[in-house]
Amino acid sequence: MKVRKAVIPAAGMGVRFLPATKAQPKEMIPIIDKPTIQYVIEEALDSGIEDILIISGRSKRAIEDHFDHAPELEAHLAAKGKENELAAVRRISEMGNIHYIRQRQPLGLGHAVGCARAFVGNEPFAVLLGDDVVRSAVPCLKQMLAWHAELGGSLVAIEEVPLEDVSKYGVIKGAQVRPGVYRVEDLVEKPPAEQAPSRLAVMGRYILDPRVFELINQTAPGAGGEIQLTDALRLLVREKPLYGYRFEGRRYDVGHCLGYLKATVDFALEREDVREPFLRYLRGKVANPGG
Ligand code: G1P
């Protein structure tokens, strides 16, 4: 069955990025000049997704404004003859069908995804987490959808991480069934290094069977006292196939400082308008870090 719908949880408080996130949603923090959530939405649309539900929360209104028309700004840009800027601003408000619902209490990622039940109905759907931005030749979700069309079931994006990092992620136990594709036998949320079943960590892209909604309802609070999506998937594995896919591309955790800085540098070096002067600046910096 074709995957038409995607869910983007965006209700988190952004504690790892304070003080920037005190009065603005972390999803609106830009990499160069584009909010991170726009990268994620573009990935979904470039993968063929038709409808997107953003799970929003209190103090997240800037996200809705960003994807809405901005009549005053547009009139101002038109009056000044700033055609390029006007086209860019208009393009954002015409991006796909974006829907919103609020998660009323911050009860965890599993609970946030559970808020999408009425929107999704009884069809497979994608979940994209905004902290993970992926740079790749083929959009990460599109790569996953190709495997989903072939294998069916559910699919999570995975990446091998250093042992000291496994405790930050959901981690799978599984056996490779195709190049880069693992049949997941079990998974565990944020295990201590010595208890991790592997170094294959779940990254923020999922294609899920709607059965997961029932299972979220049966999931008790887990790691961090929150209802974890990983724990619901653990139940799903007992009933239906779940695959882990090592996607091609580079992932940035833009929810913390170093990942954010790396993303900024790498994305800037791909931008024709800033690449050369920025590279010159970086070379000078490397030669003389204190200068
Ligand atoms: C969430 C998930 C975790 C996953 C991670 C990917 O954790 O709970 O399983 O590995 O995203 O970024 P969070 O980063 O919200 O703590």
Side-chain angles (χ1 to χ4, degrees):
M1 194 174 183
K2 188 177 181 312
V3 179
R4 302 182 300 128
K5 296 177 181 176
V7 175
I8 301 182
M13 291 206 266
V15 173
R16 293 192 299 165
F17 225 79
L18 282 167
T21 50
K22 187 178 171 205
Q24 69 173 327
K26 68 172 173 176
E27 294 78 11
M28 288 304 297
I29 291 177
I31 301 172
I32 312 180
D33 50 12
K34 193 196 283 188
T36 54
I37 194 165
Q38 191 178 328
Y39 288 93
V40 175
I41 286 185
E42 286 174 354
E43 179 187 329
L45 296 174
D46 290 346
S47 302
I49 294 292
E50 296 161 15
D51 280 279
I52 295 172
L53 178 69
I54 296 179
I55 313 287
S56 156
R58 297 179 63 219
S59 73
K60 298 279 183 169
R61 206 165 287 162
I63 298 176
E64 291 172 41
D65 289 343
H66 184 71
F67 293 104
D68 197 358
H69 280 288
E72 284 145 23
L73 176 61
E74 288 174 31
H76 175 78
L77 294 173
K80 297 271 178 203
K82 295 199 176 289
E83 295 302 327
N84 292 343
E85 290 82 354
L86 180 60
V89 164
R90 286 212 172 121
R91 190 180 67 81
I92 298 167
S93 54
E94 283 153 12
M95 283 171 69
N97 299 323
I98 305 181
H99 314 252
Y100 301 88
I101 191 169
R102 277 192 178 197
Q103 182 189 22
R104 295 189 186 141
Q105 290 168 286
L107 297 179
L109 178 61
H111 178 265
V113 172
C115 297
R117 187 172 190 169
F119 165 81
V120 169
N122 195 26
E123 54 184 282
F125 66 103
V127 176
L128 299 97
L129 305 187
D131 279 349
D132 292 320
V133 171
V134 182
R135 206 164 51 95
S136 55
V138 177
C140 180
L141 185 62
K142 192 170 187 178
Q143 297 175 38
M144 294 172 71
L145 288 167
W147 279 113
H148 181 259
E150 186 170 332
L151 299 169
S154 300
L155 208 70
V156 294
I158 52 172
E159 189 174 84
E160 193 168 74
V161 299
L163 191 59
E164 64 266 27
D165 286 345
V166 290
S167 61
K168 297 180 193 160
Y169 300 104
V171 179
I172 69 152
K173 173 176 186 247
Q176 191 160 194
V177 290
R178 301 282 170 86
V181 180
Y182 294 70
R183 173 82 188 239
V184 178
E185 291 154 20
D186 197 5
L187 62 174
V188 46
E189 181 69 8
K190 304 198 170 74
E194 61 283 4
Q195 284 167 27
S198 74
R199 291 198 286 123
L200 296 174
V202 177
M203 295 304 149
R205 301 289 182 273
Y206 309 74
I207 298 171
L208 299 176
D209 185 287
R211 170 76 179 139
V212 77
F213 291 118
E214 304 275 346
L215 300 172
I216 287 169
N217 286 344
Q218 295 169 23
T219 300
E226 298 189 337
I227 296 172
Q228 296 291 350
L229 182 59
T230 303
D231 292 340
L233 296 182
R234 191 168 208 185
L235 301 176
L236 186 67
V237 165
R238 295 184 196 154
E239 298 180 11
K240 295 183 172 219
L242 171 71
Y243 300 95
Y245 167 58
R246 286 175 78 154
F247 59 95
E248 283 163 28
R250 175 142 190 200
R251 177 202 65 113
Y252 301 87
D253 176 0
V254 296
H256 85 279
C257 291
L258 189 58
Y260 177 75
L261 286 170
K262 287 179 183 172
T264 302
V265 170
D266 288 9
F267 281 78
L269 292 178
E270 276 190 355
R271 282 260 301 244
E272 284 203 355
D273 55 341
V274 286
R275 183 187 151 81
E276 286 310 320
F278 188 49
L279 206 49
R280 268 200 304 281
Y281 174 78
L282 289 177
R283 286 198 181 108
K285 212 58 195 163
V286 170
N288 180 15

